[in-house]
Amino acid sequence: MSLNNLKYCQPEFYKFSEDSLFLANESSKLIKDSFPKGFSIKGLDLCSGCGVVGIETMRQLEDVSFFHFLELQSLFKDFFQKNALFFLNNDQRSKVEFYNSDFDSFLPNPNIKYNLITSNPPYFKRENNRLGLDERRNLCRFFTCTGFTNFLNFIYSSLDRLGVALFLGRGSEIEGEIEIFLKKTPNDFEIIKHKSIGLTSLFMGRFLDK
């Protein structure tokens, strides 16, 4: 099923691609295949936009404690709320929360660690690609206010040691920064290329000493 058939509310300046559905499907499949039945998800959709990835992941999982959605641009909140109302039932909607924040300011609860982090983040490098005229669209495609290494650091500090992080990227744009990040990180964490679709790859991050 395509995003067009699902009819998600999205802003005119930026339309999410089929990659978002790919990420949601792979995330839910990995949880079902790799974790015991009844494993309760404490989820985070990072750089969530209007919520497509997290909402579609939730719809495929049976046991979700909560799912948080973190997005830098406040204008996406209205789209997220409409999508949650349309696609999630009452019980599911009671478990979601939208946070308009950057990584450094995001403090929902210092004791929370997420056992599932999903993200279709901005992953294009400004030095390799041309910025557009619409700053809102640029924020969806480039980390203009922070760097990809900060994104990886946030995952490392927010992920439960038994959990898994799944994010999309183009290898040519981000593999160098992944390598630098891992060299600076204790040898208890790995990021591997899990699967690819076209030019986009699905990366998986997880702790090794569980």
Side-chain angles (χ1 to χ4, degrees):
M1 184 174 292
S2 70
L3 284 180
N4 289 333
N5 292 333
L6 287 171
K7 298 187 185 304
Y8 269 87
C9 290
Q10 304 178 75
E12 287 298 322
F13 67 85
Y14 192 80
K15 300 294 183 182
F16 288 86
S17 67
E18 297 291 330
D19 292 351
S20 295
L21 285 183
F22 168 71
L23 174 56
N25 292 338
E26 289 297 323
S27 298
S28 57
K29 183 178 184 297
L30 185 68
I31 292 297
K32 293 174 183 177
D33 292 346
S34 305
F35 293 89
K37 187 176 178 62
F39 183 79
S40 188
I41 295 300
K42 299 174 182 177
L44 173 65
D45 184 1
L46 189 55
C47 309
S48 65
C50 60
V52 173
V53 174
I55 289 174
E56 284 300 307
T57 302
M58 283 188 72
R59 294 176 69 196
Q60 298 179 60
L61 296 175
E62 295 181 0
D63 195 349
V64 175
S65 293
F66 60 81
F67 224 107
H68 291 165
F69 295 74
L70 178 60
E71 170 54 43
L72 178 64
Q73 299 192 70
S74 61
L75 61 89
F76 279 103
K77 184 173 184 178
D78 183 57
F79 294 101
F80 166 78
Q81 290 175 332
K82 290 177 180 177
N83 290 330
L85 184 64
F86 186 81
F87 288 102
L88 301 178
N89 60 39
N90 288 336
D91 179 61
Q92 291 170 323
R93 287 200 300 274
S94 70
K95 298 175 180 178
V96 302
E97 189 74 38
F98 182 94
Y99 292 90
N100 172 216
S101 175
D102 58 20
F103 301 147
D104 295 333
S105 304
F106 181 55
L107 296 170
N109 186 321
N111 297 318
I112 288 179
K113 292 288 185 179
Y114 299 96
N115 54 29
L116 175 62
I117 297 177
T118 61
S119 186
N120 187 1
Y123 48 73
F124 291 105
K125 289 185 175 181
R126 284 175 289 180
E127 56 266 33
N128 297 339
N129 301 272
R130 182 179 297 177
L131 290 172
L133 297 177
D134 193 322
E135 182 59 27
R136 301 167 303 174
R137 180 175 171 81
N138 288 335
L139 286 172
C140 294
R141 302 182 71 243
F142 304 90
F143 275 122
T144 58
C145 299
T146 184
F148 198 78
T149 301
N150 287 345
F151 167 80
L152 297 175
N153 282 325
F154 183 87
I155 287 177
Y156 182 82
S157 63
S158 303
L159 186 65
D160 184 270
R161 299 197 78 84
L162 297 177
V164 62
L166 295 159
F167 61 91
L168 297 178
R170 292 192 179 181
S172 61
E173 298 282 344
I174 65 172
E175 284 181 340
E177 291 190 69
I178 290 176
E179 184 178 351
I180 292 172
F181 165 78
L182 290 175
K183 286 181 179 179
K184 296 180 178 180
T185 304
N187 296 324
D188 61 351
F189 195 78
E190 68 173 359
I191 297 176
I192 61 173
K193 187 181 293 185
H194 181 65
K195 192 173 287 189
S196 295
I197 176 172
L199 296 174
T200 303
S201 296
L202 173 62
F203 293 86
M204 177 170 63
R206 60 189 176 185
F207 287 98
L208 298 173
D209 56 337
K210 300 181 179 181

